[in-house]
Every structure is written in structure tokens, then in C-alpha cells.
Amino acid sequence: MQEKVEQEAGLYEALRTVIDPEIGMNVIELGLVRGVDIEEDRAHVNMIMTTPFCPYAPQLLEQTRRTAQDFLGLPTTIEMGMEMWDPSMMEEGAASDWGLF
């Protein structure tokens, strides 16, 4: 169990390299990664976009999936959730860069 927690924490750190090109912040700071499921033989990432018609959605989803797969060494699938993003989902302190909180 401890290994899975460490693996998940490491994955979230690895995903900090995935930057939303429109906003210039990473998917973790923005709170776009809504959940991960890591099994012995596969992984799954659930993610949302900042806007419903984000022009970078395909690129961000694939880069996130590939980064997770490379980090974990496991086949990884990604799902785009329909949850509406709002700035309160951002990491604590990240929104201050925008002057929001």
C-alpha cells in the first residue's frame, strides 16, 4: 500500500512537466488531474480541461497520458471528465499568480 502511495505522489510530480501552453501553468497546479488509478499492470488518469472547448485538449491529454506511462512503465489510459473547472481547483497559492485569491 505504501508503495502505491509513493508511486502516486511521484506520478503527480512527474505530471508537473505537462504545461498548459495557453495558461503557462502545469496540469497539477491548475488542478486538471482529478484522479489516478494505478494497478499492477495498468494505470488510468482522469483529467479535465480549463474550458470545454480548449484548443489544446488533445495535446494536453496525450502529453499527460504519455508522461504518466513513461513514469510508471505501465500501459496508461486517459479519460477527459466532464466536470467544470474553476479556479478554486488550483493548488493552494497557484491562483495568486493570477491575482485570483
Side-chain angles (χ1 to χ4, degrees), residues 16 39 50 60 62 71 79 84:
R16 289 181 182 279
E39 301 296 329
T50 55
L60 275 173
E62 178 55 20
F71 175 79
E79 173 184 359
M84 291 298 294

Short mmCIF file of all heavy atoms in Angstrom, two decimals, residues 16 39 50 60 62 71 79 84:
data_model
loop_
_atom_site.label_atom_id
_atom_site.label_comp_id
_atom_site.label_asym_id
_atom_site.label_seq_id
_atom_site.Cartn_x
_atom_site.Cartn_y
_atom_site.Cartn_z
N ARG A 16 3.92 17.43 -13.33
CA ARG A 16 4.19 18.87 -13.27
C ARG A 16 4.95 19.36 -14.51
O ARG A 16 5.04 20.56 -14.74
CB ARG A 16 4.96 19.22 -12.00
CG ARG A 16 4.13 19.11 -10.75
CD ARG A 16 4.93 19.49 -9.50
NE ARG A 16 4.11 19.31 -8.33
CZ ARG A 16 3.19 20.19 -7.89
NH1 ARG A 16 3.00 21.30 -8.53
NH2 ARG A 16 2.50 19.94 -6.81
N GLU A 39 -2.81 0.31 -11.11
CA GLU A 39 -2.91 -1.12 -10.82
C GLU A 39 -1.55 -1.75 -11.11
O GLU A 39 -0.62 -1.08 -11.54
CB GLU A 39 -4.00 -1.75 -11.70
CG GLU A 39 -5.38 -1.15 -11.50
CD GLU A 39 -5.95 -1.37 -10.11
OE1 GLU A 39 -5.63 -2.40 -9.50
OE2 GLU A 39 -6.72 -0.51 -9.65
N THR A 50 -9.57 23.37 -18.65
CA THR A 50 -10.00 24.63 -18.04
C THR A 50 -11.23 25.19 -18.74
O THR A 50 -12.01 25.91 -18.12
CB THR A 50 -8.88 25.69 -18.08
OG1 THR A 50 -8.44 25.84 -19.43
CG2 THR A 50 -7.73 25.30 -17.19
N LEU A 60 -2.82 18.13 -24.62
CA LEU A 60 -2.64 18.02 -23.16
C LEU A 60 -2.98 16.62 -22.67
O LEU A 60 -2.27 16.07 -21.82
CB LEU A 60 -3.52 19.03 -22.43
CG LEU A 60 -2.95 20.42 -22.26
CD1 LEU A 60 -4.00 21.35 -21.66
CD2 LEU A 60 -1.72 20.40 -21.40
N GLU A 62 -2.87 13.78 -24.40
CA GLU A 62 -1.86 12.82 -24.85
C GLU A 62 -0.54 13.02 -24.11
O GLU A 62 0.11 12.06 -23.73
CB GLU A 62 -1.66 12.92 -26.37
CG GLU A 62 -0.59 11.99 -26.92
CD GLU A 62 -0.76 10.51 -26.59
OE1 GLU A 62 -1.89 10.06 -26.25
OE2 GLU A 62 0.24 9.78 -26.66
N PHE A 71 6.58 7.48 -16.82
CA PHE A 71 6.98 7.47 -15.41
C PHE A 71 6.69 6.13 -14.76
O PHE A 71 7.53 5.57 -14.05
CB PHE A 71 6.28 8.60 -14.63
CG PHE A 71 6.58 8.54 -13.17
CD1 PHE A 71 7.78 9.02 -12.66
CD2 PHE A 71 5.67 7.97 -12.27
CE1 PHE A 71 8.07 8.93 -11.31
CE2 PHE A 71 5.95 7.89 -10.91
CZ PHE A 71 7.16 8.37 -10.43
N GLU A 79 -8.81 9.65 -19.48
CA GLU A 79 -10.22 9.95 -19.68
C GLU A 79 -10.42 11.43 -19.41
O GLU A 79 -9.91 11.96 -18.42
CB GLU A 79 -11.04 9.12 -18.70
CG GLU A 79 -12.50 9.44 -18.66
CD GLU A 79 -13.22 8.62 -17.59
OE1 GLU A 79 -12.59 7.80 -16.88
OE2 GLU A 79 -14.43 8.83 -17.46
N MET A 84 -16.80 20.70 -14.57
CA MET A 84 -16.44 22.06 -14.96
C MET A 84 -15.32 22.56 -14.06
O MET A 84 -15.42 22.51 -12.84
CB MET A 84 -17.65 23.00 -14.85
CG MET A 84 -18.73 22.72 -15.88
SD MET A 84 -18.20 22.93 -17.58
CE MET A 84 -17.90 24.67 -17.65
#
